[in-house]
């Protein structure tokens, strides 16, 4: 579990104009909320925050105005749809020892059985409950030798100690699709196109 320290400053200016000014200074407007406290409006260093967010569910230690220190995890990240820069971040206040529900990426290893079958990620991320300071960065699932029609359910995935599922045990996470089905579908599309051309 990665913990990243960031210096944060409280802000009293709101609205689009204020947000633009903050971003021009290579900073990012953010809101810290949780535990029934009033939302705290912050300004965070842009580059350092961007690096931190490369780690899913990163634990952020916030030094706020040099007066208080809080722990938080990112809950919502808004990016510019074209340029990709950070526009705004919502942070959830957490305490050490507290359980939180998060989604962790599902990674795969190994090769499917020969035959050109396709692996479908039904869930790209697995909802789990974990202690705020011990959130796994990802879970790795072996798909070695799986045949068409095989599926891996949430209950089949080994989780680190202290981490529990926050989704139905029978939820399908990965499944293997037969290559023939894909080829048949493509063939039908081609035939349909030929019929249109003849008409």
């Amino acid at each position: 579990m990665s913990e990243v320290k960031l210096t944060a400053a409280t802000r009293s200016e709101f609205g689009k104009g204020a947000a633009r000014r903050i971003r021009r200074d290579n900073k990012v407007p953010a809101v810290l909320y949780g535990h029934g406290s009033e939302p705290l409006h912050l300004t965070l260093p842009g580059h350092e925050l961007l690096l931190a967010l490369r780690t899913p569910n990163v634990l952020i230690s916030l030094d706020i105005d040099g007066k208080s220190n809080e722990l938080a995890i990112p809950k919502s990240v808004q990016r510019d749809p074209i340029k990709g820069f950070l526009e705004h971040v919502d942070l959830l206040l957490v305490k050490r020892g507290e359980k939180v529900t998060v989604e962790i990426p599902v990674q795969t290893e190994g090769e499917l059985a020969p035959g050109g079958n396709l692996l479908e990620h039904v869930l790209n991320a697995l909802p789990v409950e974990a202690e705020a300071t011990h959130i796994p960065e990802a879970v790795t699932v072996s798909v070695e030798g799986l045949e068409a029609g095989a599926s891996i359910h949430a209950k089949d995935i080994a989780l680190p100690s202290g981490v529990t599922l926050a989704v139905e045990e029978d939820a399908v996470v990965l499944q293997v699709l037969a290559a023939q089905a894909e080829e048949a579908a493509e063939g039908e599309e081609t035939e349909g196109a030929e019929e249109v051309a003849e008409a």
Side-chain angles (χ1 to χ4, degrees), residues 43-85:
T43 300
L44 300 174
H47 182 66
E48 289 92 330
L49 179 61
L50 189 65
L51 292 177
L53 292 176
R54 289 181 179 175
T55 301
N57 301 309
V58 63
L59 185 66
I60 300 174
S61 175
L62 295 169
D63 179 5
I64 303 172
D65 293 333
K67 298 174 185 174
S68 65
N69 194 277
E70 301 286 1
L71 288 176
I73 56 174
K75 286 302 285 183
S76 175
V77 179
Q78 295 174 25
R79 297 176 186 270
D80 181 271
I82 298 170
K83 296 182 180 177
F85 61 79

Side-chain angles (χ1 to χ4, degrees), residues 184-199:
E186 288 175 12
E188 287 168 13
E189 287 175 12
T190 306
E191 287 171 16
E194 287 172 359
E195 286 171 11
V196 170
E198 287 172 8

Side-chain angles (χ1 to χ4, degrees), residues 31-195:
V31 175
L32 175 68
Y33 64 93
H35 289 280
S37 58
E38 286 289 317
L40 190 60
H41 298 267
L42 303 171
T43 300
L44 300 174
H47 182 66
E48 289 92 330
L49 179 61
L50 189 65
L51 292 177
L53 292 176
R54 289 181 179 175
T55 301
N57 301 309
V58 63
L59 185 66
I60 300 174
S61 175
L62 295 169
D63 179 5
I64 303 172
D65 293 333
K67 298 174 185 174
S68 65
N69 194 277
E70 301 286 1
L71 288 176
I73 56 174
K75 286 302 285 183
S76 175
V77 179
Q78 295 174 25
R79 297 176 186 270
D80 181 271
I82 298 170
K83 296 182 180 177
F85 61 79
L86 295 173
E87 290 190 326
H88 188 274
V89 177
D90 285 348
L91 300 170
L92 178 65
L93 185 66
V94 296
K95 303 290 184 189
R96 294 189 189 279
E98 175 188 7
K99 291 264 188 178
V100 293
T101 300
V102 295
E103 293 188 346
I104 55 176
V106 176
Q107 300 173 347
T108 59
E109 62 181 8
E111 298 290 330
L112 298 177
N117 297 322
L118 299 174
L119 180 65
E120 180 187 16
H121 285 252
V122 180
L123 293 178
N124 285 314
L126 185 68
V128 299
E129 188 179 69
E131 201 262 303
T133 55
H134 291 89
I135 299 172
E137 291 187 13
V139 288
T140 302
V141 182
S142 174
V143 296
E144 186 65 39
L146 291 184
E147 305 271 357
S151 58
I152 292 176
H153 298 84
K155 63 185 177 186
D156 301 325
I157 298 176
L159 297 174
S161 176
V163 179
T164 56
L165 289 174
V167 67
E168 292 290 331
E169 288 188 350
D170 290 329
V172 176
V173 180
L174 301 164
Q175 63 184 9
V176 183
L177 304 177
Q180 298 90 314
E182 291 290 314
E183 290 168 7
E186 288 175 12
E188 287 168 13
E189 287 175 12
T190 306
E191 287 171 16
E194 287 172 359
E195 286 171 11

